[in-house]
């Protein structure tokens, strides 16, 4: 069992930036990839970004490429998401998740954190 705690969400104007953090604890053995999904009201969950601890691979959803950057601290089992050039379309609850591989992470199976709200005003 893995516990995930997200932080860093808030309200920001369009064009601004936010940085999110997610720390994994508990049964983290086998957690080789971490990343982010988001879900806007009335919409499905969308893959945002993910990374693997081995190989240094990263993957981004098309809607955030060039604007968001994922990074991590392996020693702390923590992943970050730097979000720049935010638009109102980025407004959503952002969820942290983990998996045994980046490919499985992108599948969106969870587990999930509690989420952190990001609201971008125009």
């Amino acid at each position: 069992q893995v516990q995930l705690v997200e932080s860093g969400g808030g309200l920001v104007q369009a064009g601004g930036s936010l940085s999110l953090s997610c720390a994994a604890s508990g049964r983290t053995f086998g957690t080789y990839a971490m990343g982010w999904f988001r879900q806007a009201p009335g919409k499905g969950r969308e893959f945002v970004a993910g990374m693997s601890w081995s190989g240094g691979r990263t993957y981004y959803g098309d809607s955030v490429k060039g604007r968001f950057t994922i990074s991590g601290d392996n020693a702390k089992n923590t992943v970050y998401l730097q979000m720049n050039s935010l638009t109102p379309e980025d407004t959503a609850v952002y969820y942290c998740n983990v998996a045994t591989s980046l490919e499985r992470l992108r599948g969106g199976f969870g587990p999930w954190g509690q989420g952190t709200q990001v609201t971008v005003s125009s």
Side-chain angles (χ1 to χ4, degrees), residues 1-7 21-25 31 33-39 44-50 79 93-99 102-116:
Q1 298 179 5
V2 178
Q3 290 78 49
L4 302 169
V5 180
E6 301 101 331
S7 62
S21 299
C22 174
S25 62
T31 301
M34 297 185 68
W36 299 90
F37 280 69
R38 67 186 183 185
Q39 187 166 21
R45 188 174 294 145
E46 175 189 14
F47 176 79
V48 176
V79 67
V93 177
Y94 284 70
Y95 296 96
C96 176
N97 68 324
V98 301
L102 183 57
E103 289 74 22
R104 288 184 61 84
L105 183 82
R106 293 170 57 193
F109 300 115
W112 307 101
Q114 83 286 352
T116 185

Side-chain angles (χ1 to χ4, degrees), residues 7 9 20 25 29 38 48 51 53 60 62 72-73 76 78-79 86 89 100-101 107 110 114 118 120:
S7 62
L20 307 182
S25 62
F29 180 80
R38 67 186 183 185
V48 176
M51 66 176 295
W53 295 120
Y60 295 92
D62 290 340
D73 186 333
K76 297 181 179 180
T78 299
V79 67
L86 287 163
E89 287 69 39
T100 57
S101 69
Q114 83 286 352
V118 172
V120 184

Side-chain angles (χ1 to χ4, degrees), residues 66-84:
R67 300 188 298 119
F68 292 8
T69 303
I70 189 170
S71 62
D73 186 333
N74 199 348
K76 297 181 179 180
N77 214 358
T78 299
V79 67
Y80 308 95
L81 185 69
Q82 179 65 46
M83 305 184 294
N84 300 322

